Amino acid sequence: MKQNLLSLSVKELTRSSSFGKSIATTIMLVFLGLYFALVFFSLGVFVIPEALAKQFPNQELTSVLNRYLLIYFASDLLIRQFLQNLPTISFKPLSILNMKRRRIVTYLLNRSLLHFFNVLPFFLILPLFFRIVLPDHPGTGAIAWLVSIVLLVLSNHFLNTYLKWWINESSWGIYLFVSLFAGLYGVNYFGILSLTELFGAFLDFVIQNPTMVVALLVPPVLCYWLNYRYLKSNLYLNLVEKKAGDATIRDFSWLSELGDYGKFITLHVHMIWRNKRPRTQFLMTVLFLLYGFLIYKNGEKGIPEGILIVGGLIMTGMFTISLGQFFPAWHSSYYGMLMTQNFKMKQFLQAFYYMNVIVSFVYFVVTLLYGLIDIRIVYFNTALFFYHLGVNMNLIFYFGTFSKKSVDLGGSAMFNYQGMGATQWLIAFPLIVGPILVFYLFKWLTDATPALVMLGIIGLVGIVLQPQLFNYFEKAYNKQKHRLIRDYKNS
C-alpha cells in the first residue's frame, strides 16, 4: 500500500494538467530554488564563519552560533506561515477509496516532509557543522548538535502545519499569532528576558550532554500527534472547500451609501475579505508597513537613496501592486454575470481606483512616521504615493485589458502561480522597476532632489488626466468584454 501511495504521488505530479503547460514557470522556480540553495551554502561556508570570527574573536564560535540559531528558527516559522501550503489537496481522491483514515493521514503528514523548506536549511547547517561545530566539539557532542538541529527543523515543520490549521479556523488567529510573535521579539529585543541566550545555553548543554538530545524528540513528536489527531477527525472535503455559508461575513453595507461607486467598492472589498487568496495578499501588504524597520538604518552617509526609493515604493504601493497584478481576473469566476448588469464600465474601474486611493493614502500616512528616522523618507514616500496613483494605477488598467487566465480565489497566496500568465509577469517590471528607472534617469540628468520632484510631477500629471484616461479604458474594456468572458471560462 505504501508503494502504491508513493506511485500515486509521482503520477499526480507528472500527469497533472499543469505539469507541461507552464514550462517557463517551472524553470523559474527551479532556478529560484537553486539560487536560495547557493545563497544558504555561501552563507554557511564563507559569510557566517568569517563574520562570527571577526565579531567575536575571543569567544567559542559554537556558543555564539547557538544563540543566533533562535533568530533563524523564529524567522523560518514566520516565513513558513506565509509560504508553506497545508497537506490537504492530495487526500480528496483517496477519501472515496477503501482505505483506512489513519493510513491517509499518515501518508499526508509523511509526504509533507518532502518540502523545499525542509531541505533548504541543510545547505546552511551542514557547512556550519563542518566549519564551526565539528572543530570545536569533535565526537558525540557535534553529532548531538546536528541531530538537535534536524529535530528542530522537523518541529518547525509540524508546528507550522498545526498553527495553520488553527489560524484557518479562527478569524482572529493570524492576529494573535503575529501579536505573540511580536511580543516575544520585544521581550528579547528590550532585554526583559534574553530568549537567545537561553536557547544558546540549551544547545550548549546538549553538546556537553549528548543524551539530552532525547528531550528534543518531544516537540516534533507532539506536533506530529496534534496534526495527526486534527486530520483524522476532520478529514472531509470541507476541510479544503468550505461552504460559502461557513465564511465569516463582514458588514460593508455602509459603503453602498456612497452611490454607484460605493456598490462597486463594496464588491471589491467583499471579494478581498471573503476569499482566502486576496485576503492573504492584503494582510501581507499590511505587514509590509513594518518593512522600514528592516531597511532604514543610518550609515556613515545616511540612508542610501536606493533604499529610500525601494522602501517608499514597497510600503506605499504594495497594495496597488499586489492586488492590481490580477485585475480584473479577481472577478473572473463571475465576470460573465457581472457584464450582464446595467452599469457603466467606467464606474467599475473608478471604484477600483478609488479603493486603491483610500488604502494607499492610509499606508502613506502610516509610513510618514518613518520620517522620525530620516526626514527624506517623507519626501520620497510623498513622490512615490503620487506616482502610484497617477502612473501605476493606469498601467494596471492597461495590462488588465490583456488578462486571459481566471484566478482561484480560494487558493493559497504564496508560491501559487495559478492564474499567472504573460501579463502578470510583464506588469511587475513597469510597476516596480519603472519608478526606480525614472528617478535615476532624472538624477543622472540633474540631481536627486529634481529627480524626486519630477517623479511626483509625473504622478500628478497622471492624476489630472485621470478623467480622460477613464474614458479611454472604458472603451478598451468594453471592446475586450467578450474575449475576457471567453478566456476566463476556458482557463
Side-chain angles (χ1 to χ4, degrees):
M1 180 59 70
K2 292 181 180 179
Q3 292 178 345
N4 290 337
L5 289 174
L6 180 61
S7 175
L8 285 173
S9 299
V10 175
K11 291 176 181 178
E12 180 185 3
L13 174 66
T14 57
R15 294 180 179 180
S16 170
S17 60
S18 61
F19 182 73
K21 287 184 178 180
S22 304
I23 298 178
T25 300
T26 303
I27 293 175
M28 188 208 69
L29 290 175
V30 170
F31 275 106
L32 193 62
L34 292 175
Y35 167 76
F36 280 110
L38 181 61
V39 169
F40 271 51
F41 184 76
S42 300
L43 288 172
V45 174
F46 305 109
V47 180
I48 294 178
E50 294 179 4
L52 293 181
K54 184 179 179 180
Q55 187 93 17
F56 307 95
N58 300 321
Q59 297 186 37
E60 185 185 276
L61 296 186
T62 301
S63 296
V64 177
L65 175 64
N66 288 340
R67 296 199 299 268
Y68 282 100
L69 281 176
L70 178 62
I71 300 175
Y72 169 78
F73 282 112
S75 302
D76 177 64
L77 182 63
L78 183 63
I79 293 172
R80 283 174 185 264
Q81 275 296 314
F82 294 103
L83 300 184
Q84 186 171 321
N85 294 329
L86 289 170
T88 55
I89 302 300
S90 301
F91 87 86
K92 294 167 67 177
L94 302 177
S95 59
I96 60 174
L97 300 179
N98 184 19
M99 187 180 300
K100 291 184 177 180
R101 188 181 298 269
R102 61 179 177 82
R103 187 173 294 278
I104 298 176
V105 171
T106 304
Y107 160 70
L108 293 176
L109 291 177
N110 292 343
R111 180 186 169 180
S112 70
L113 289 171
L114 300 176
H115 197 282
F116 179 68
F117 284 147
N118 293 332
V119 178
L120 183 62
F122 294 99
F123 286 94
L124 175 67
I125 296 302
L126 289 177
L128 292 175
F129 172 74
F130 288 106
R131 286 292 309 274
I132 296 179
V133 182
L134 193 58
D136 286 348
H137 303 278
T140 56
I143 300 300
W145 181 89
L146 184 60
V147 173
S148 300
I149 299 302
V150 174
L151 293 175
L152 288 171
V153 170
L154 295 177
S155 300
N156 253 18
H157 171 77
F158 290 117
L159 175 60
N160 165 73
T161 304
Y162 186 73
L163 286 175
K164 292 199 76 166
W165 295 127
W166 175 69
I167 289 173
N168 283 354
E169 286 192 343
S170 174
S171 59
W172 45 267
I174 183 64
Y175 306 109
L176 180 60
F177 172 77
V178 173
S179 300
L180 179 62
F181 196 91
L184 292 175
Y185 174 80
V187 166
N188 187 78
Y189 181 81
F190 293 107
I192 300 173
L193 180 64
S194 182
L195 301 178
T196 53
E197 294 288 345
L198 291 174
F199 186 82
F202 177 75
L203 287 181
D204 291 341
F205 183 71
V206 170
I207 293 175
Q208 300 300 326
N209 302 272
T211 55
M212 285 303 299
V213 75
V214 178
L216 286 172
L217 284 171
V218 176
V221 172
L222 176 62
C223 292
Y224 185 95
W225 176 76
L226 289 172
N227 281 284
Y228 178 88
R229 188 184 66 171
Y230 178 88
L231 272 174
K232 190 176 180 181
S233 59
N234 294 276
L235 202 64
Y236 299 99
L237 186 61
N238 61 0
L239 181 64
V240 180
E241 299 176 353
K242 298 289 186 182
K243 295 181 179 179
D246 295 334
T248 301
I249 305 300
R250 305 292 180 183
D251 183 16
F252 297 104
S253 58
W254 56 272
L255 289 171
S256 300
E257 298 178 3
L258 300 177
D260 292 334
Y261 297 122
K263 294 177 182 178
F264 285 111
I265 292 176
T266 304
L267 173 67
H268 294 309
V269 173
H270 280 164
M271 182 276 297
I272 294 172
W273 194 255
R274 293 179 176 179
N275 297 280
K276 179 181 177 181
R277 187 170 178 179
R279 183 174 67 246
T280 303
Q281 291 195 207
F282 164 68
L283 292 175
M284 285 187 62
T285 66
V286 176
L287 292 178
F288 266 105
L289 293 175
L290 303 174
Y291 190 59
F293 291 114
L294 299 178
I295 62 172
Y296 291 147
K297 296 180 180 179
N298 278 301
E300 295 180 357
K301 299 181 180 180
I303 303 174
E305 292 171 348
I307 297 297
L308 291 172
I309 194 168
V310 170
L313 177 69
I314 290 177
M315 288 189 291
T316 64
M318 184 51 69
F319 178 84
T320 300
I321 295 171
S322 181
L323 273 298
Q325 187 180 20
F326 290 98
F327 181 83
W330 289 119
H331 306 281
S332 57
S333 60
Y334 49 86
Y335 197 77
M337 181 274 295
L338 190 63
M339 292 300 103
T340 64
Q341 306 302 306
N342 182 22
F343 71 93
K344 293 181 179 180
M345 178 60 70
K346 184 192 292 188
Q347 295 173 339
F348 179 71
L349 299 176
Q350 288 175 324
F352 185 74
Y353 180 84
Y354 295 145
M355 181 185 70
N356 277 270
V357 169
I358 295 170
V359 177
S360 297
F361 179 75
V362 172
Y363 285 13
F364 164 68
V365 171
V366 171
T367 58
L368 291 180
L369 295 173
Y370 286 114
L372 298 174
I373 300 176
D374 190 327
I375 190 60
R376 293 180 301 160
I377 296 175
V378 175
Y379 306 143
F380 274 83
N381 286 12
T382 302
L384 287 164
F385 170 70
F386 289 126
Y387 185 91
H388 279 302
L389 300 184
V391 179
N392 277 355
M393 279 302 304
N394 290 302
L395 287 173
I396 286 170
F397 288 142
Y398 174 74
F399 279 94
T401 60
F402 300 99
S403 178
K404 291 182 179 293
K405 294 187 176 183
S406 62
V407 174
D408 178 15
L409 296 176
S412 172
M414 303 303 170
F415 284 119
N416 185 356
Y417 295 93
Q418 185 279 324
M420 288 289 290
T423 301
Q424 282 69 40
W425 292 113
L426 291 174
I427 194 176
F429 182 80
L431 290 182
I432 298 175
V433 183
I436 298 175
L437 292 178
V438 170
F439 173 78
Y440 280 105
L441 174 62
F442 281 104
K443 181 184 176 183
W444 177 67
L445 294 173
T446 56
D447 196 8
T449 301
L452 194 61
V453 172
M454 286 303 301
L455 197 67
I457 290 176
I458 292 173
L460 287 172
V461 170
I463 294 173
V464 172
L465 296 176
Q466 201 61 54
Q468 290 74 25
L469 290 169
F470 277 135
N471 292 331
Y472 167 77
F473 288 124
E474 180 183 29
K475 296 178 182 178
Y477 275 88
N478 283 330
K479 184 178 180 179
Q480 298 293 329
K481 176 172 66 175
H482 296 96
R483 182 194 61 79
L484 288 170
I485 294 172
R486 183 183 66 249
D487 288 346
Y488 288 155
K489 186 177 295 184
N490 295 332
S491 63

